[in-house]
Amino acid sequence: MTDLSTPTDAPADTDAPALFDTMSTMRAMRRLRPEPVPEELLDRLIQAAVWGPSGGNMQRYEYVIVTDPAVMAELAPLWKRCVDAYLATTGKHAPEGMDEAAYARMVAAIEYQRDHFAETPALVIPCYQFPPPRVDEEGLLASVTALGPEAAATMASTQDRFAALAEGSCVYPGVQNLLLAARGLGLAANITIWHLMLEDEWKAALGIPDDMRTFAAIPIGWPLGRFGPVRRRSVADVVHRDRW
């Protein structure tokens, strides 16, 4: 079993694009300095996110950027409740294959971020929502014919999951672009979805419309620590060639 506490080696190919080095050292950085991030840098992060692909080129994303310390202080208790709920359940035990000491260090970083959340320089909330579907009876019949009755029935029974994944596939490529851009600019960032445990309260605090979906909460700032090799499973452990 791969030890997830062991850093993955950086690419050995010196001719590889600089992007590869960026990806191989893009750790989740939770300890942030309190200094503000210039607005022009935050705009560059959002520009990188906007460059991400969006299904059907609908581009229905919106981004809430929080930099006001008063608003951040209002969000801090919500963040604490979400983090505490995570650490009491899913986060109570180290993932399989991860060294307990390494996991303890990760939890310490999570707790540090929780306890200093009001000092977070910037927070980005990516939002997305599909438009109402436009399907006529003729098109629906053609769809059933193309899929076959059994697959069409399965599709109908999993429509909620399909819609959630479809929306996520439109917003998360942009989020990854944002994270890569942050690393390239020397900024620390990490993606979480813990806010979804109290999503209604987060949306109310930020004035996000009730019918808009949120997909992440991304704290951003200048790092207290250093970037370094990520800890990931090896390619040999995860690849199935041609079939499982």
Side-chain angles (χ1 to χ4, degrees), residues 121-138:
L123 181 73
V124 173
I125 309 289
C127 306
Y128 201 95
Q129 188 178 61
F130 274 159
R134 295 183 296 178
V135 179
D136 54 37
E137 186 174 348
E138 181 181 354

Side-chain angles (χ1 to χ4, degrees), residues 129-188:
Q129 188 178 61
F130 274 159
R134 295 183 296 178
V135 179
D136 54 37
E137 186 174 348
E138 181 181 354
L140 188 59
L141 289 173
S143 174
V144 171
T145 300
L147 294 174
E150 185 175 344
T154 299
M155 180 70 181
S157 68
T158 59
Q159 188 59 39
D160 287 347
R161 180 172 183 265
F162 183 89
L165 289 174
E167 282 189 320
S169 69
C170 290
V171 67
Y172 287 127
V175 169
Q176 181 67 3
N177 273 12
L178 185 152
L179 295 172
L180 284 166
R183 172 66 186 90
L185 293 170
L187 289 164

Side-chain angles (χ1 to χ4, degrees), residues 15-243:
D15 295 327
L19 176 62
F20 279 63
D21 182 62
T22 298
M23 290 188 292
S24 71
T25 57
M26 198 174 72
R27 299 191 311 189
M29 302 287 279
R30 298 179 175 89
R31 291 184 172 91
L32 308 177
R33 287 157 41 192
E35 291 89 343
V37 177
E39 290 292 333
E40 58 268 25
L41 290 189
L42 294 174
D43 286 346
R44 291 182 71 182
L45 297 186
I46 302 304
Q47 177 63 81
V50 167
W51 283 331
S54 175
N57 199 29
M58 287 184 289
Q59 303 186 43
R60 292 177 60 86
Y61 34 67
E62 308 282 346
Y63 294 89
V64 178
I65 303 177
V66 180
T67 57
D68 186 335
V71 178
M72 206 74 73
E74 184 180 354
L75 296 175
L78 297 180
W79 184 271
K80 182 181 187 307
R81 288 167 62 194
C82 293
V83 171
D84 288 349
Y86 168 79
L87 291 177
T89 53
T90 305
K92 191 172 185 178
H93 306 286
E96 183 179 358
M98 186 173 189
D99 178 79
E100 289 288 345
Y103 187 65
R105 291 191 296 271
M106 190 179 86
V107 170
I110 292 172
E111 292 174 336
Y112 179 93
Q113 186 178 56
R114 175 198 63 194
D115 297 341
H116 294 80
F117 189 82
E119 302 164 20
T120 302
L123 181 73
V124 173
I125 309 289
C127 306
Y128 201 95
Q129 188 178 61
F130 274 159
R134 295 183 296 178
V135 179
D136 54 37
E137 186 174 348
E138 181 181 354
L140 188 59
L141 289 173
S143 174
V144 171
T145 300
L147 294 174
E150 185 175 344
T154 299
M155 180 70 181
S157 68
T158 59
Q159 188 59 39
D160 287 347
R161 180 172 183 265
F162 183 89
L165 289 174
E167 282 189 320
S169 69
C170 290
V171 67
Y172 287 127
V175 169
Q176 181 67 3
N177 273 12
L178 185 152
L179 295 172
L180 284 166
R183 172 66 186 90
L185 293 170
L187 289 164
N190 71 288
I191 178 175
T192 76
I193 60 168
W194 296 335
H195 78 289
L196 293 176
M197 291 184 271
L198 296 172
E199 185 180 25
D200 288 345
E201 294 184 52
W202 282 78
K203 288 167 69 173
L206 296 172
I208 298 173
D210 290 340
D211 60 353
M212 178 63 68
R213 301 180 191 275
T214 65
F215 285 82
I218 308 171
I220 299 170
W222 302 107
L224 274 174
R226 298 180 179 180
F227 294 101
V230 298
R231 294 171 170 84
R232 300 292 185 266
R233 297 168 64 190
S234 70
V235 172
D237 283 345
V238 301
V239 169
H240 307 269
R241 300 195 184 277
D242 296 325
R243 61 187 302 166

